[in-house]
Amino acid sequence: MEQTNRGRLADATWDAITEMDEQNRPIHTFQVCHVMEPNQNNWLRSGWIQRQAAQRVYVELRFTLRDCNSIPWVSGTCKETFNLFYLQTEEPLSAVAFQSRIMKVDTIAADESFTQTDLGDRVLRLNTEVREVGPVTRRGFYLAFQDVGACIALVSVKVFYKRCPSTVRNLAVFPDTVPHTDSSSLVEVRGACVENAEERDTPKLYCGADGDWLVPLGRCVCSIGHAEMDGDCRACKPGSFKAYSGNTECSKCPSHSSSHDQAATICHCDKGFYRAIKDSSTVACTRPPSAPRNLVSLINDTALFLQWTPPIDTGGREDITYNVLCQRCDGRDGDSGVTQCEPCEPDLRFIPRPLSLTATSVAILDFATHVNYTFHVEAANGVSGLGVSPRSLANVTVNTNQAGPALVGVVRKDWASQNSIALSWPEAEKLPSEIVDYEVKYFEKEQEQLSYSSTRTKNPSVVVTGLRPSTVYVFHVRVRTAAGYTAYSPNYEFATAAEGNEHEGRRLCLCSHWLCSRKEKALIFCVEIKKLVLCQGYIKARMKSEEKRRTRFRAGHGLYFMFFTYVDPDTYEDPTQAVEEFAKEIDPSYICIERVIGAGEFGEVCSGRLHIPGRMDIAVAIKTLKGGYVEQQRRDFLREASIMGQFDNPNIIRLEGVVTRSRPVMIVVEYMENGALDSFLRARDGQFTVLQLVGMMRGIAVGMTYLSDMGYIHRDLAARNILVDENLVCKVSDFGMSRVLEDDTEAAYTATGGKIPIRWTAPEAIAYGKFSSVSDVWSYGIVMWEVMSYGERPYWEMSNQDVILSIDEGYRLPAPMGCPVTLHQLMLHCWQKESNQRPRFNTVLSFLDKLIINPKVTIDTCRHPPDDMPDYPLFISIGDWLDSIKMSQYKNNFLAAGYTTLDSISTMSLDDIRRIGICLIGHQRRILSSIQSLRLQLHHIQQSGFQV
Ligand code: ADE
């Protein structure tokens, strides 16, 4: 609103004068200049000004005022100020009533009366002064100007009030709002959602005294069928849809579906395609599968097997199941000659069942012999039966004449070693169809077939490996033909060689223990090339190194562990055995405990020295098991040693040994002078170069690469579980907790009952316990963040629940102060929601190696995130940011001044920081330097295609 009142001002002693300005435009002024006469009292009054919505009124005066020095002979009578008055009334008044109730606003003086030109001339200058009038509460008011002897020309009077202009924020419309009279209180205004939008959280803005909108809260989101564009909710175009309200885009119709109208909330399936009842309305439409392929039958004397391969066309679904339908077709209709079929006998048994099979085979028992059975195998999926499509069937007819025994000839032992037995038998003859292979089934005689193993061979001979020395085994053999299995041969009992009696039988074998299969192959090869002596040397060397790696054979089950894999001590029936196998027993007299350095769940942690005779003594950390433990606690305590003892890597804490045969029970590990990484970094805040920090992260990556290669999942990778030695070498520790996280104060119970360190753990591990080496990669990203922020707590003081929610919404930790963009991008890569999109540890390692070899090039130029990386909004609010730079006390200053987003603070200057009330220079500097680094990061991130 602007009110200027000219012409209606009406006292005789002020003259209404029209002058021309420099551009020759008329300016209407009111002038007074009775500077020679004393006791002047000249009034100029406005007309009645209606208040409208105003509560606080502002008056802007433009005027010239001559200084008395520029007028000769006026000292004593000449004045350089005039007075501004106002009067509030409900109605216009007469002049008489006016005089008595008038209120003074201010005495107005000129800032500038004259200025001096280069030539020394004095030029009259226009002054602008603004005064606040009010609070005004009546329907209208007058303004009045009192001259007391000055020389004034009043050029303009602007009367206005401030208001927050109507605006749209977060899809809510906020009306024109007049601020409160009280400048320190804000007017809370509720917004109304724009058309086709709905409230998520009540949208609100606060109107400040200066007419600015502050502190946006809540929001509206576009309703179904509509998506946001330019502050509006626009209907989705045909061919797209939006099924849920929210600030998401309209999505293209999924495969085999379409929408023909605007604002579609669903895309309907194309002809022949369907959605199952359980399918969400947003998924692609699918169709029934094609028929199963390659259906074959195999038969032996007691069982009939059907096998098939999945259909070529799954119909776009993964929920394929199979139904097996059976008909008995053993007669012909006498008249027509057409084969007569009837449903099969109800007592035919299908293993596991006839319907809803998920595997591609079924066994059928209790069939009749000399009968033709026809089996129809139907492929079905979630949309089978929804349309009129034909059933997807494959058929096979089986004649059960073939069923019946057909024996393998006598099985002989060719030779035996401690762990292997070689068998052979005459090639089977007179079988109804071609031989596919032989199956040899065997078990320890003493075990009485409680568990058995089997192996297959194409030839009528086999070397059965992995057996125990001096043990009698029972073997029997059967043949598999295209038509099914024959019956088993009778049982044959053969024993392995006794321990110490390396070979027995015809052929020389070096086999021993778990290396059998590999060694045998190597040996046979050796014999063939007639270099036995040389090869024996090679095999023994291999055995020695591999024995070190403890590749193990699980007795009796015919399964091999991979070479170099970690063995879970929980797979031992007796965990003490695992400790014996993987940890050296130390004589307690070799240990000298010096001092207590900490406390663990099981007892104190001490430092000391280990002196093993004949070896240099070394500094060690000693974990003790406090007295009064129960057996389970002793096992849990020693579990860590049996894990750690399997590792041998410069970045994994080294186990020196254990004391289990005397009290206290102890675990002795190498001593790490700088203790845990998190507290070490906190104590040395800001003291390392980026290269040193990257060096620490590299060490951890080396350790983790090793662990993941070994198949070990850490589950509690965090800076507190990394130890640092005197040379800043970081080593991964804390292995006992991979099963129970009792010892970790960060671990919280999840909905599924597990105890998990939420802030360090990948979402899939929190949600459904899916721990893997790539969930360790997520934790590694958090450790990187801890390192780069010198031990800051991830997600600061947010609650665990909020951390889970915000991660789910796609927020991620922002780059710590001074962290190169490349490193933050690597962190973001580790925090990809989809675990298979995260890098593997070896990739992380080679990236860090590149960074170390050529830090400048990589830090400065490697700004582009990997192609497959999604955009992450930076996880930051003003509060989080201030927390991160330890300036939390200023949260309200920022919020009250309307700084609510990362973007808005990134443009703040030192003046802005002062203006919002941050007075301490040190704090101003800290905040400004953080803003500058933020600005840089935002710039980099925007350049590299990331959104904030
Ligand atoms: N605290 C726990 N283990 C330690 C170790 N190996 N060295 C130093 N401090 C430790």
Side-chain angles (χ1 to χ4, degrees):
M1 177 194 91
E2 186 180 323
Q3 289 270 349
T4 54
N5 290 57
R6 292 203 186 94
R8 295 211 288 138
L9 299 166
D11 272 0
T13 45
W14 286 69
D15 299 316
I17 296 175
T18 299
E19 291 183 348
M20 293 302 180
D21 70 5
E22 307 86 68
Q23 276 101 37
N24 225 15
R25 288 176 309 203
I27 341 175
H28 305 286
T29 65
F30 284 93
Q31 299 189 4
V32 67
C33 195
H34 302 293
V35 288
M36 306 264 188
E37 297 146 43
N39 305 326
Q40 290 298 302
N41 184 20
N42 307 315
W43 286 85
L44 176 67
R45 163 164 77 77
S46 72
W48 190 65
I49 304 165
Q50 290 205 27
R51 174 169 72 87
Q52 299 184 359
Q55 302 202 18
R56 300 165 70 81
V57 169
Y58 298 85
V59 178
E60 182 195 272
L61 306 174
R62 291 169 71 232
F63 60 94
T64 60
L65 203 148
R66 287 187 65 170
D67 65 350
C68 293
N69 289 339
S70 68
I71 312 170
W73 320 115
V74 293
S75 60
T77 53
C78 177
K79 299 286 186 307
E80 292 184 345
T81 60
F82 62 97
N83 297 320
L84 173 64
F85 289 83
Y86 81 110
L87 172 67
Q88 293 193 61
T89 62
E90 292 298 342
E91 300 296 336
L93 292 179
S94 70
V96 180
F98 182 87
Q99 294 286 345
S100 56
R101 299 183 348 241
I102 198 154
M103 309 267 288
K104 181 162 173 181
V105 177
D106 205 358
T107 297
I108 313 287
D111 282 340
E112 315 259 358
S113 303
F114 290 91
T115 52
Q116 204 87 27
T117 67
D118 290 346
L119 301 171
D121 300 334
R122 288 154 73 82
V123 174
L124 209 54
R125 280 283 300 258
L126 198 58
N127 294 280
T128 304
E129 292 288 326
V130 178
R131 291 294 181 276
E132 197 179 312
V133 173
V136 282
T137 48
R138 308 255 168 100
R139 278 189 53 237
F141 58 92
Y142 293 93
L143 294 177
F145 305 89
Q146 181 192 29
D147 164 52
V148 287
C151 195
I152 313 162
L154 192 56
V155 177
S156 76
V157 177
K158 190 156 106 186
V159 181
F160 61 95
Y161 63 89
K162 293 184 183 172
R163 55 171 200 202
C164 298
S166 150
T167 185
V168 178
R169 296 265 178 105
N170 293 335
L171 295 177
V173 184
F174 294 87
D176 242 29
T177 303
V178 179
H180 265 315
T181 345
D182 170 9
S183 64
S184 62
S185 70
L186 306 175
V187 182
E188 181 185 302
V189 183
R190 272 192 70 150
C193 292
V194 298
E195 212 178 329
N196 297 311
E198 54 200 64
E199 272 188 17
R200 258 305 134 82
D201 296 308
T202 310
K204 277 189 212 160
L205 274 178
Y206 291 86
C207 178
D210 282 338
D212 300 322
W213 289 111
L214 306 171
V215 203
L217 294 176
R219 64 195 173 125
C220 299
V221 293
C222 290
S223 307
I224 52 173
H226 294 81
E228 204 238 309
M229 192 188 279
D230 303 331
D232 257 344
C233 290
R234 308 260 174 92
C236 298
K237 299 213 169 75
S240 67
F241 77 110
K242 195 178 136 200
Y244 306 105
S245 58
N247 282 346
T248 51
E249 307 275 295
C250 298
S251 309
K252 227 171 121 233
C253 283
S255 306
H256 308 296
S257 69
S258 45
S259 66
H260 301 290
D261 297 326
Q262 300 239 5
T265 57
I266 187 173
C267 295
H268 296 285
C269 289
D270 298 342
K271 194 154 178 260
F273 289 86
Y274 314 91
R275 288 195 183 98
I277 292 165
K278 281 192 188 150
D279 287 350
S280 134
S281 61
T282 59
V283 301
C285 297
T286 52
R287 60 180 169 191
S290 56
R293 292 172 300 149
N294 308 323
L295 173 60
V296 290
S297 64
L298 307 166
I299 188 165
N300 68 23
D301 53 337
T302 53
L304 196 163
F305 300 91
L306 300 181
Q307 281 181 349
W308 57 92
T309 50
I312 283 189
D313 178 10
T314 61
R317 305 185 64 88
E318 287 181 354
D319 55 353
I320 293 221
T321 55
Y322 304 95
N323 301 319
V324 180
L325 317 164
C326 175
Q327 284 183 316
R328 206 177 146 150
C329 309
D330 42 8
R332 280 180 192 275
D333 183 273
D335 300 332
S336 64
V338 174
T339 310
Q340 294 262 296
C341 292
E342 57 191 50
C344 292
E345 315 80 289
D347 47 358
L348 221 60
R349 278 198 293 143
F350 290 80
I351 312 277
R353 60 188 168 275
L355 302 179
S356 301
L357 294 165
T358 47
T360 52
S361 62
V362 67
I364 300 144
L365 304 177
D366 299 342
F367 52 82
T369 51
H370 304 285
V371 168
N372 282 337
Y373 287 101
T374 298
F375 294 97
H376 307 275
V377 180
E378 178 191 35
N381 65 16
V383 295
S384 295
L386 286 184
V388 286
S389 15
R391 300 177 79 173
S392 310
L393 297 172
N395 309 320
V396 66
T397 298
V398 183
N399 179 292
T400 55
N401 296 348
Q402 300 161 345
L407 299 179
V408 169
V410 175
V411 176
R412 292 187 316 152
K413 177 173 92 175
D414 292 341
W415 52 265
S417 71
Q418 288 176 21
N419 307 97
S420 308
I421 295 177
L423 304 173
S424 60
W425 53 89
E427 187 125 15
E429 286 173 15
K430 293 194 209 104
L431 292 173
S433 35
E434 207 182 310
I435 298 172
V436 177
D437 55 17
Y438 295 91
E439 185 189 44
V440 180
K441 191 166 151 187
Y442 59 98
F443 53 91
E444 268 181 50
K445 190 177 177 197
E446 300 257 297
Q447 300 278 315
E448 296 206 335
Q449 215 173 340
L450 279 180
S451 69
Y452 66 85
S453 306
S454 66
T455 178
R456 286 177 188 283
T457 167
K458 292 235 176 254
N459 304 314
S461 63
V462 71
V463 178
V464 181
T465 60
L467 308 178
R468 298 205 303 163
S470 314
T471 308
V472 176
Y473 285 86
V474 177
F475 297 88
H476 51 188
V477 182
R478 64 176 176 170
V479 186
R480 184 160 63 133
T481 71
Y485 284 98
T486 67
Y488 276 110
S489 69
N491 288 352
Y492 292 89
E493 292 179 13
F494 301 117
T496 47
E499 259 168 314
N501 182 7
E502 184 89 331
H503 316 108
E504 179 193 282
R506 291 189 280 140
R507 210 187 291 174
L508 181 67
C509 179
L510 286 177
C511 289
S512 144
H513 201 43
W514 36 264
L515 279 171
C516 242
S517 145
R518 276 195 174 194
K519 278 189 293 150
E520 273 172 3
K521 278 185 200 146
L523 187 66
I524 290 160
F525 173 71
C526 291
V527 170
E528 275 169 17
I529 60 167
K530 306 203 181 353
K531 286 183 182 166
L532 180 60
V533 178
L534 254 177
C535 284
Q536 280 177 346
Y538 162 75
I539 291 162
K540 280 192 174 141
R542 283 288 301 164
M543 273 174 66
K544 227 172 155 195
S545 77
E546 287 173 356
E547 213 147 26
K548 238 175 127 193
R549 291 278 169 207
R550 302 161 313 279
T551 302
R552 291 183 60 251
F553 174 64
R554 267 202 260 185
H557 290 272
L559 290 172
Y560 281 95
F561 283 97
M562 289 286 292
F563 282 90
F564 313 122
T565 51
Y566 151 79
V567 181
D568 185 347
D570 295 342
T571 59
Y572 282 77
E573 252 170 55
D574 176 8
T576 319
Q577 213 187 322
V579 181
E580 275 168 17
E581 189 161 339
F582 299 125
K584 228 179 326 164
E585 182 74 22
I586 298 177
D587 183 333
S589 67
Y590 299 161
I591 301 167
C592 168
I593 294 181
E594 287 170 350
R595 64 195 169 88
V596 176
I597 54 173
E601 191 212 345
F602 296 101
E604 285 164 343
V605 182
C606 306
S607 64
R609 316 265 330 154
L610 174 67
H611 181 83
I612 295 183
R615 268 177 51 181
M616 284 241 300
D617 74 334
I618 54 166
V620 286
I622 305 135
K623 294 187 175 187
T624 57
L625 176 62
K626 57 179 172 252
Y629 54 81
V630 294
E631 185 51 27
Q632 187 56 45
Q633 284 171 316
R634 180 187 140 97
R635 286 180 179 188
D636 287 345
F637 175 71
L638 288 173
R639 190 170 179 274
E640 177 169 24
S642 49
I643 295 171
M644 220 187 308
Q646 299 184 47
F647 304 141
D648 178 13
N649 181 274
N651 294 93
I652 305 289
I653 202 81
R654 191 181 64 251
L655 175 74
E656 295 296 340
V658 289
V659 176
T660 61
R661 295 182 195 145
S662 60
R663 302 281 171 274
V665 175
M666 294 186 249
I667 298 176
V668 182
V669 299
E670 64 180 310
Y671 183 66
M672 301 290 283
E673 290 74 4
N674 281 312
L677 177 61
D678 61 336
S679 47
F680 173 64
L681 287 171
R682 272 178 223 131
R684 305 278 215 92
D685 194 355
Q687 293 177 18
F688 298 114
T689 61
V690 170
L691 213 57
Q692 281 175 306
L693 297 174
V694 173
M696 295 179 199
M697 294 188 280
R698 182 190 183 274
I700 304 165
V702 170
M704 290 309 298
T705 305
Y706 174 82
L707 291 181
S708 67
D709 286 349
M710 289 279 283
Y712 177 79
I713 302 163
H714 193 291
R715 296 170 184 234
D716 196 11
L717 180 59
R720 64 184 168 279
N721 291 333
I722 303 293
L723 291 167
V724 189
D725 78 1
E726 58 189 335
N727 301 314
L728 295 191
V729 175
C730 289
K731 306 196 182 192
V732 181
S733 81
D734 258 82
F735 298 100
M737 302 306 142
S738 65
R739 196 165 49 94
V740 263
L741 283 158
E742 297 305 332
D743 195 25
D744 193 332
T745 50
E746 282 294 350
Y749 284 102
T750 61
T752 48
K755 218 177 169 204
I756 284 179
I758 300 289
R759 285 151 214 272
W760 283 263
T761 304
E764 73 277 7
I766 296 176
Y768 37 90
K770 192 163 179 271
F771 285 92
S772 61
S773 287
V774 278
S775 66
D776 277 353
V777 167
W778 177 290
S779 315
Y780 179 81
I782 304 287
V783 174
M784 286 182 72
W785 190 91
E786 291 183 276
V787 170
M788 294 311 294
S789 60
Y790 284 92
E792 181 59 87
R793 179 170 163 73
Y795 313 98
W796 306 276
E797 296 316 317
M798 285 175 67
S799 69
N800 281 343
Q801 200 49 39
D802 286 350
V803 170
I804 294 170
L805 285 177
S806 50
I807 290 297
D808 192 46
E809 281 177 17
Y811 287 101
R812 297 293 183 270
L813 283 164
M817 237 203 293
C819 170
V821 175
T822 38
L823 285 175
H824 186 232
Q825 283 175 351
L826 178 57
M827 295 177 204
L828 293 173
H829 203 18
C830 294
W831 301 328
Q832 301 242 34
K833 193 179 190 109
E834 292 301 326
S835 60
N836 59 4
Q837 312 262 302
R838 293 173 206 148
R840 303 299 181 262
F841 277 115
N842 56 353
T843 315
V844 170
L845 182 56
S846 51
F847 177 83
L848 294 178
D849 279 340
K850 276 191 209 130
L851 199 70
I852 290 169
I853 292 165
N854 201 347
K856 177 133 189 33
V857 170
T858 322
I859 291 177
D860 290 349
T861 62
C862 193
R863 281 186 192 135
H864 300 290
D867 290 343
D868 52 349
M869 270 196 21
D871 292 346
Y872 287 104
L874 285 190
F875 179 88
I876 198 159
S877 66
I878 299 292
D880 293 340
W881 165 66
L882 287 168
D883 289 340
S884 77
I885 57 169
K886 302 194 171 71
M887 293 278 103
S888 326
Q889 66 268 39
Y890 295 119
K891 281 183 197 170
N892 285 342
N893 301 52
F894 280 85
L895 289 181
Y899 291 102
T900 51
T901 64
L902 193 62
D903 259 354
S904 64
I905 57 157
S906 70
T907 53
M908 284 180 86
S909 64
L910 185 60
D911 274 348
D912 295 328
I913 294 169
R914 285 193 191 119
R915 200 158 29 75
I916 65 170
I918 297 168
C919 305
L920 296 177
I921 290 172
H923 291 183
Q924 290 170 356
R925 278 218 204 104
R926 188 185 297 190
I927 290 170
L928 187 66
S929 92
S930 173
I931 287 176
Q932 279 162 353
S933 119
L934 249 174
R935 196 179 301 153
L936 220 80
Q937 287 175 35
L938 287 176
H939 175 70
H940 287 325
I941 287 165
Q942 277 152 7
Q943 274 198 344
S944 59
F946 279 74
Q947 283 170 0
V948 182

